[in-house]
């Protein structure tokens, strides 16, 4: 391996985890040669279809609860810093909103966001009443309000790739079939391959979660909404579009649009926010993606025989945007502890 002052680093994957990894390595180790290799970029990535709201689920997805919370906090701080200090638009905006439930108050609680978002609170009786509609027979009984961050990857990914290139990084369009292809050429490999990590690492714990969302034009929607977990409405501030979701089909490899899913999503979202009926008067887009779920996100170091180091960072499921900066910081910290 090259000396600690100069190493050859390659990042495999150009989704939200990959581009953040490249930026973090360049920030922490400006003398390293950084190359990003992927066969899908920007609109072809899973990240591009993400609704982009920073809101983790409440299970422990890291090695411990404390580390999971650290990942959320570090991601929030990263995006917040970009929002406050950006020199050009990069698709990041603060958006307030609600998590509602008709049946269980626990659904509206999120200990990660409570420890992260400064204005997290229970929704008032007046707010619950204002979002209960007799016509749709929707009676909301529980809710939480907080402000979070929406990352529009259709803007963030091109911005990040330009930053990587401007910082001297190389960007290569190439499909990697094995990490052995890279071990002689690079000293450090960051595995940010998402679902393809299942094949590259022979990791049977990586499973697809099929998701389907609809993007409509509704510039009057300025808040996000969740209802009983899988119904959500998330606005993109830059272009006035809104993502409507959703579904979670564990183990499904089906990437085709399902008409019944579309009907259910529209029905549920209009029930929650009736003004969305107006959005159906114009064209809308339906998107399907396979989220790379792992029972525990893998962020760890592996050493190959020839002294090449692999830094694994994959398995984020539907929370890549939410957790990427946090897991990336953690991954680079792990690397720092082992490099010579």
């Amino acid at each position: 391996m090259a000396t600690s002052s100069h190493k050859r680093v390659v990042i495999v994957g150009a989704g939200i985890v990959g581009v953040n990894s490249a930026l973090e390595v360049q920030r922490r180790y400006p003398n390293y040669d950084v190359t990003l290799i992927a066969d899908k970029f920007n609109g072809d990535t899973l990240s591009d279809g993400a609704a982009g709201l920073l809101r983790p689920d409440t299970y422990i997805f890291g090695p411990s609860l404390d580390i999971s919370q650290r990942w959320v906090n570090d991601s929030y701080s990263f995006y917040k810093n970009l929002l406050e200090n950006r020199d050009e638009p990069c698709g990041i905006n603060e958006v307030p909103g609600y998590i509602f439930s008709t049946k269980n108050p626990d659904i509206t609680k999120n200990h990660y966001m409570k420890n992260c978002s400064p204005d997290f609170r229970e929704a008032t009786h007046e707010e619950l009443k204002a979002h209960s509609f007799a016509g749709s027979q929707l009676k909301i009984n529980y809710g939480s309000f907080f402000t979070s961050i929406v990352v529009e990857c259709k803007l963030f990914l091109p911005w990040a790739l330009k930053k990587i290139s401007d910082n001297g990084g190389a960007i290569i369009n190439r499909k990697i079939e094995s990490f052995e292809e890279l071990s002689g050429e690079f000293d450090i490999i960051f595995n940010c391959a998402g679902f393809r990590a299942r094949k590259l690492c022979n990791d049977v714990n990586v499973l697809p979660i099929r998701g389907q969302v609809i993007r409509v034009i509704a510039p009057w929607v300025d808040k996000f909404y969740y209802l009983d977990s899988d119904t959500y409405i998330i606005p993109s501030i830059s272009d006035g579009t809104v993502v409507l979701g959703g579904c979670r089909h564990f183990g499904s490899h089906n990437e085709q649009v399902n008409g019944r899913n579309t009907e259910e999503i529209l029905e549920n979202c209009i029930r929650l926010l009736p003004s969305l009926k107006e959005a159906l008067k114009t064209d809308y887009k339906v998107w399907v993606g396979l989220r790379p779920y792992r029972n525990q996100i893998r962020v760890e170091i592996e050493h190959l025989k020839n002294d090449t180091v692999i830094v694994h960072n994959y398995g984020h499921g539907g929370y890549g945007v939410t957790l990427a900066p946090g897991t990336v910081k953690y991954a680079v910290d792990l690397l720092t502890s082992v490099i010579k």
Side-chain angles (χ1 to χ4, degrees):
M1 183 182 290
T3 63
S4 59
S5 62
H6 184 83
K7 294 188 188 301
R8 300 161 300 169
V9 179
V10 62
I11 288 87
V12 178
I16 192 73
V17 180
V19 297
N20 272 298
S21 296
L23 289 172
E24 182 69 2
V25 172
Q26 288 180 324
R27 185 184 72 82
R28 301 262 286 268
Y29 296 100
N31 293 327
Y32 285 11
D33 291 332
V34 174
T35 300
L36 187 147
I37 295 179
D39 64 324
K40 294 181 179 179
F41 293 88
N42 296 327
D44 293 327
T45 66
L46 179 75
S47 300
D48 184 79
L53 177 68
L54 194 154
R55 187 204 70 97
D57 209 332
T58 55
Y59 66 92
I60 299 174
F61 35 76
S64 69
L65 177 60
D66 287 344
I67 291 175
S68 299
Q69 183 70 63
R70 191 194 315 169
W71 290 351
V72 176
N73 292 350
D74 287 343
S75 290
Y76 185 90
S77 296
F78 173 84
Y79 290 131
K80 184 81 170 176
N81 184 63
L82 273 183
L83 181 65
E84 294 173 350
N85 299 289
R86 61 188 177 185
D87 52 0
E88 56 191 342
C90 57
I92 297 175
N93 292 284
E94 278 192 306
V95 179
Y98 297 93
I99 301 176
F100 289 134
S101 178
T102 59
K103 53 191 177 184
N104 190 336
D106 290 342
I107 290 174
T108 70
K109 297 174 183 177
N110 191 305
H111 50 91
Y112 292 121
M113 293 310 300
K114 185 176 181 180
N115 292 326
C116 179
S117 179
D119 61 356
F120 192 98
R121 60 171 173 79
E122 288 188 16
T124 66
H125 174 74
E126 288 74 19
E127 288 170 321
L128 298 180
K129 187 177 180 180
H131 291 89
S132 296
F133 299 101
S136 63
Q137 296 182 329
L138 177 65
K139 186 177 187 304
I140 295 172
N141 296 306
Y142 313 100
S144 294
F145 171 90
F146 61 97
T147 299
S148 190
I149 292 169
V150 172
V151 181
E152 300 174 37
C153 283
K154 63 182 178 294
L155 298 177
F156 182 82
L157 293 178
W159 173 86
L161 288 171
K162 183 177 184 300
K163 283 286 186 184
I164 293 164
S165 181
D166 289 348
N167 291 338
I171 298 172
I172 298 173
N173 190 331
R174 171 182 165 191
K175 189 172 185 177
I176 301 300
E177 301 294 346
S178 168
F179 292 126
E180 298 295 333
E181 299 174 29
L182 305 171
S183 61
E185 188 177 351
F186 298 96
D187 304 304
I188 300 165
I189 302 169
F190 277 81
N191 171 18
C192 309
F195 187 64
R196 268 188 55 78
R198 176 182 172 90
K199 177 181 178 181
L200 290 170
C201 301
N202 193 27
D203 188 345
V204 297
N205 288 316
V206 179
L207 297 171
I209 301 180
R210 179 186 177 276
Q212 180 169 316
V213 299
I214 303 166
R215 189 175 288 272
V216 302
I217 300 173
W220 59 88
V221 178
D222 59 359
K223 294 181 179 65
F224 67 82
Y225 300 89
Y226 272 80
L227 177 65
D228 292 328
S229 299
D230 279 339
T231 294
Y232 53 85
I233 300 166
I234 301 174
S236 296
I237 302 302
S238 68
D239 62 1
T241 63
V242 178
V243 175
L244 312 180
C247 56
R248 283 188 275 190
H249 300 153
F250 278 81
S252 173
H253 292 258
N254 182 10
E255 296 185 72
Q256 300 302 309
V257 171
N258 182 294
R260 180 56 187 152
N261 291 158
T262 300
E263 293 173 6
E264 290 172 346
I265 291 168
L266 290 175
E267 179 182 336
N268 291 335
C269 289
I270 289 172
R271 181 167 167 254
L272 175 57
L273 197 64
S275 68
L276 287 171
K277 286 182 181 179
E278 291 297 313
L280 302 187
K281 295 178 180 179
T282 57
D283 291 339
Y284 56 83
K285 296 180 180 179
V286 184
W287 178 91
V288 176
L290 304 182
R291 304 152 177 154
Y293 171 79
R294 195 173 187 272
N295 55 339
Q296 181 178 307
I297 298 173
R298 187 183 184 191
V299 188
E300 62 184 22
I301 301 288
E302 180 182 357
H303 296 269
L304 296 184
K305 294 178 181 179
N306 64 354
D307 209 25
T308 300
V309 172
I310 298 183
V311 184
H312 296 289
N313 191 357
Y314 65 87
H316 297 66
Y319 302 102
V321 170
T322 292
L323 298 173
T327 63
V328 164
K329 183 178 183 299
Y330 185 83
V332 177
D333 287 345
L334 289 179
L335 176 67
T336 300
S337 70
V338 302
I339 58 176
K340 300 174 183 177

